[in-house]
Amino acid sequence: MEIWNLVFMQYDRDASGTLNPLPKPSVDTGMGLERLAAILQGVHSNYEIDLFQNLIKAAAALIGCKDLENKSLRVIADHIRACSFLVVDGVIPSNEGRGYVLRRIIRRAIRHGHQLGQREAFFHKLVAPLAKEMGEAYPELVKAQSQVEKVLAQEEERFAETLDNGMKILEEAIAGLEGKVIPGSTVFKLYDTYGFPVDLTADIARERGLTLDMAGFETRMEAQRDRARAASNFAVVDTGGIQIDGSTEFTGYDRLNDTASVTGLFHDGERVDILKGGEEGIVVLDHTPFYAESGGQVGDRGVIRLDGGVFRVTDTQKQGKDIIAHLGMLTQGELCVGDEVEALVDQQRRDATRLNHSATHLMHAALRQVLGDHVQQKGSLVDPERLRFDFSHFQPVTPEELEQIETLVNSQIRANAEIKTRIMPVDQAMEAGAMALFGEKYGDEVRVLSIGDFSVELCGGTHARRAGDIGVFKILSETGIASGVRR
């Protein structure tokens, strides 16, 4: 049995296949902790060590399986550990990203229980034996045990009916097969009608020595997409595929009006040198106080003034990485590339928006305090009238919890802490406890926004000067918008 391996890193193979000596050869070493435990305990498999044996016995007792060598019990024991620690780390079952990975693992474990004849929810009941086995080394598991059980139980309930219905259809299809390929029409019916995941169908097929007609499945999926597009009432706006080079400096953290030079003009999707009165277009400046829509905060509105003319800005958007585009109409006069102009942001609208943005940060922190550290931002909208916040959570927020969240936010508003921003290296910001969005890409330096000791987040938006400026915070509604996502 291999318990330790060494990889000697000596060469770099380039695109042509040539091996070039590394400037600093090294040794990559890895040891299997559970394999070492197997050696010390005198057994021949990781699944025979005390940790897994206790989980396997707990699963067998729940399901009523007497064969402790059954491979399905091993899968369940392995998966309860993986799923529980994923939930402890803040992952919630969903249909995308790491949440989908968790969902697939949970459903695979449930299916193996189903194979052993288990029709009642059982998987979540293995969290307690796991906490007993590993809680001393991982106290965070014991602390979050109740939450983990709720998440897994809810996912079991959702999947139970899907599994029963889907397995009947799949078993009938397999029984009637003449070859070794499950037709794409069957795979699509399972997915579209019964919500049976394709990867689960593939797992079952693999176990039976079968394959899927994925080409046929994809053909039906594409036909469904075409039908959906044809039924849609939404029009697609043609932006003309504008590509704008250069960069715009944002000066709007400190001021709401600024003088600037026009570096680019666009009309009907084409670059132009002049905009005339009555024409809609896009204006690009060398620097601007207008905030471009980003991070959920809407773009600024206002006016760009010039001698004898006014360009009314109805929206501000980012183009590429560094360009800020002012969208609107030249209501009078002529505007030319190179003109010196005065950019003036609508102050009342900006002020209302930045207060709502700061309230969003307070609410995010309050959500995590009341509901748990698994809460992560999934989306937001911050405008002058309201704020909307989408977050990961596995069940509806109760009226009592909503009241606690409101109370927490309003207490922070009354505390009136100063809202501070700092620019620092991203690693230093993370060490300081700043919250970042999972999957978001950040540069070497980031902007960190702090509201007292209550909230610390990475944010490029505009904010109030003090928490008390927000006024009063009130939650008007709470609902689910997707699996594992609340709004």
Side-chain angles (χ1 to χ4, degrees), residues 382-399:
V382 181
D383 67 21
E385 304 297 328
R386 58 178 178 144
L387 65 91
R388 188 182 72 206
F389 191 76
D390 302 337
F391 59 97
S392 56
H393 190 50
F394 49 87
Q395 63 187 12
V397 184
T398 66

Side-chain angles (χ1 to χ4, degrees), residues 81-93 102 106 141 144-152 373-375 394:
R81 187 174 66 165
C83 294
S84 296
F85 280 103
L86 280 169
V87 176
V88 170
D89 284 343
V91 183
I92 298 296
L102 173 59
I106 295 172
L141 176 61
Q145 179 179 333
S146 175
Q147 177 194 322
V148 176
E149 288 171 342
K150 288 178 183 178
V151 171
L152 298 185
D373 290 340
H374 65 279
V375 169
F394 49 87

Side-chain angles (χ1 to χ4, degrees), residues 418-440:
E418 183 181 1
I419 298 178
K420 299 179 180 179
T421 58
R422 294 168 289 166
I423 304 297
M424 63 175 67
V426 64
D427 292 341
Q428 185 180 337
M430 297 305 180
E431 290 173 6
M435 276 195 292
L437 297 184
F438 178 80
E440 191 78 10

Side-chain angles (χ1 to χ4, degrees), residues 215-268:
F217 170 76
E218 289 296 341
T219 297
R220 286 164 176 77
M221 280 297 295
E222 188 57 37
Q224 185 192 58
R225 295 186 191 107
D226 289 340
R227 289 192 296 272
R229 282 191 288 265
S232 172
N233 292 321
F234 293 101
V236 177
V237 178
D238 182 10
T239 60
I242 295 175
Q243 297 295 322
I244 307 175
D245 299 323
S247 63
T248 307
E249 178 189 359
F250 176 62
T251 60
Y253 289 131
D254 303 316
R255 57 177 70 93
L256 294 181
N257 58 78
D258 204 349
T259 56
S261 297
V262 178
T263 58
L265 295 172
F266 297 84
H267 175 62
D268 285 342

